[in-house]
Amino acid sequence: MGDVTKEQLLDFYKTMLTIRKFEDKAAELFAAGRLPGFVHLYSGEEAVAAGVCASLTNKDYITSTHRGHGHLIAKGGQVDKMMAELFAKVTGYCKGRGGSMHIADVELGILGANGIVGAGQPIAVGAAFANQYLKNDAVSVCFFGDAASNRGTFHEALNLASVWKLPVIFVCENNRFGISMNQKDHMNIVDVSQRAISYGIPGVTIDGNDVAAVYETAKDAISRARKGEGPSLIECKTWRHYGHFQGDAGLYKDAQEQEEWLKKDPILKLEEKLKVLKFAKDTELKEIQQQIQGQIDAAVEFAESSPEPSPEDVLADVYAP
């Protein structure tokens, strides 16, 4: 576990639980027909976002994916403004115009979730170039899935980042599926981290459901990037509990594999660790759970009571070249 302290583990727990309860509520609301658009849920992958973002500040940038709620919460996003965005209300992060897949907050260094697979990689490289040019000691982190490493954008991004030694960390959340296709059917390697070899940068594969391992690995890569030593590729093996999107039954998943991965739930693993180390008792964890559930319920009330966008504003904030 390295040098991870009790306070850090409890902070990880709160972040991961906030993500899980946000996603559980989003799933419930979407199934009830109360959210417009689509939602792609992050449940099961919480340890990755929490472990990586713990070493970032507001001056550091992240690029996210279509499954971006967890990244936003871990980077400091407010759950009430996120929920309002899912409800398409004017109090949302994008005034209700972006929805689940386009939430951004530049002040927090969140350059946006993104509905296009592999689109965040060149954006993260661009942000890293700006940081290097400005000499501001900031880094950028690019979250992406295993299938996105098959895109040309991935290879172009790693190549340029390597050549220019840019301060960027590529974090592959390998949940084993590109939409409904198993990883073994869309690439001829087991570990995405092997692709780092082609670009002469460090690449490592870790347990993405172990938040302490994610934190320690990301911390080293971020420190390396801040010191001007260039990019890294971290592959986090994990599992998404839901289908590709809420409503996808995930029938393409092997039932036994799904059951085995659910036993490795990152939040349950962390709860067990906290209790074994005597860092928290069941009653204390229960209090945290109730507190966070209250925050999520308040976020829903905020979103539901917020005004709808005005038809008169339909062309406001819209850019067309």
Side-chain angles (χ1 to χ4, degrees):
M1 194 174 72
D3 298 324
V4 181
T5 66
K6 169 185 174 181
E7 289 71 27
Q8 286 174 315
L9 284 179
L10 285 170
D11 284 345
F12 293 150
Y13 182 68
K14 292 172 185 174
T15 300
M16 292 164 64
L17 199 61
T18 302
I19 297 170
R20 176 67 59 85
K21 288 191 175 295
F22 185 93
E23 297 297 60
D24 286 348
K25 181 58 71 174
E28 174 190 326
L29 294 168
F30 187 84
R34 293 167 64 187
L35 298 181
F38 249 178
V39 290
H40 300 76
L41 302 171
Y42 194 69
S43 300
E45 304 180 29
E46 295 90 346
V48 181
V52 171
C53 290
S55 297
L56 300 179
T57 69
N58 286 353
K59 71 179 181 181
D60 299 313
Y61 294 112
I62 66 166
T63 60
S64 183
T65 69
H66 53 280
R67 201 177 308 285
H69 303 163
H71 307 139
L72 306 178
I73 290 171
K75 192 64 168 60
Q78 297 175 230
V79 291
D80 53 354
K81 294 177 70 174
M82 288 178 60
M83 192 63 78
E85 188 61 36
L86 267 58
F87 270 85
K89 298 296 185 72
V90 295
T91 52
Y93 267 109
C94 303
K95 302 180 183 178
R97 296 164 188 231
S100 169
M101 287 190 280
H102 301 95
I103 297 176
D105 185 343
V106 176
E107 296 299 318
L108 289 177
I110 299 169
L111 297 181
N114 203 312
I116 302 173
V117 173
Q121 293 147 355
I123 296 173
V125 167
F129 175 77
N131 291 332
Q132 186 186 65
Y133 183 81
L134 294 171
K135 298 183 170 74
N136 61 9
D137 195 40
V139 305
S140 63
V141 170
C142 174
F143 293 101
F144 60 97
D146 45 295
S149 73
N150 294 332
R151 297 293 310 274
T153 50
F154 169 84
H155 297 280
E156 293 170 9
L158 265 68
N159 184 61
L160 193 60
S162 171
V163 169
W164 288 351
K165 283 197 168 186
L166 297 178
V168 54
I169 300 90
F170 299 95
V171 179
C172 177
E173 296 174 313
N174 186 350
N175 63 24
R176 314 303 173 96
F177 289 95
I179 306 180
S180 57
M181 181 174 287
N182 193 292
Q183 181 199 348
K184 68 180 187 305
D185 296 319
H186 68 68
M187 63 176 63
N188 196 28
I189 55 175
V190 175
D191 297 327
V192 172
S193 64
Q194 290 178 259
R195 292 184 163 168
I197 299 170
S198 301
Y199 302 102
I201 66 173
V204 62
T205 295
I206 60 173
D207 179 358
N209 283 12
D210 182 343
V211 67
V214 174
Y215 168 72
E216 294 283 5
T217 305
K219 183 179 68 171
D220 290 345
I222 291 167
S223 173
R224 182 175 179 278
R226 289 198 203 283
K227 289 188 288 189
E229 296 177 10
S232 303
L233 171 60
I234 301 171
E235 178 190 19
C236 302
K237 302 276 193 186
T238 184
W239 186 262
R240 57 170 153 84
H241 289 183
Y242 290 92
H244 175 59
F245 56 86
Q246 171 59 349
D248 170 13
L251 299 178
Y252 44 84
K253 288 182 175 181
D254 180 85
Q256 184 176 351
E257 193 174 20
Q258 169 83 356
E259 183 178 343
E260 290 173 356
W261 272 99
L262 291 180
K263 292 177 183 174
K264 296 186 281 189
D265 184 318
I267 293 178
L268 296 181
K269 286 179 67 171
L270 182 52
E271 286 180 349
E272 186 62 28
K273 179 176 286 187
L274 285 165
K275 289 188 287 189
V276 168
L277 294 173
K278 301 188 185 304
F279 287 170
K281 299 177 181 176
D282 281 324
T283 53
E284 294 167 312
L285 297 178
K286 187 71 175 176
E287 288 177 9
I288 294 172
Q289 293 162 12
Q290 291 173 342
Q291 181 185 23
I292 291 174
Q293 187 60 57
Q295 294 170 358
I296 300 302
D297 292 343
V300 174
E301 291 180 17
F302 171 79
E304 289 188 309
S305 62
S306 294
E308 303 279 353
S310 169
E312 288 74 27
D313 292 333
V314 68
L315 295 179
D317 304 318
V318 175
Y319 172 75

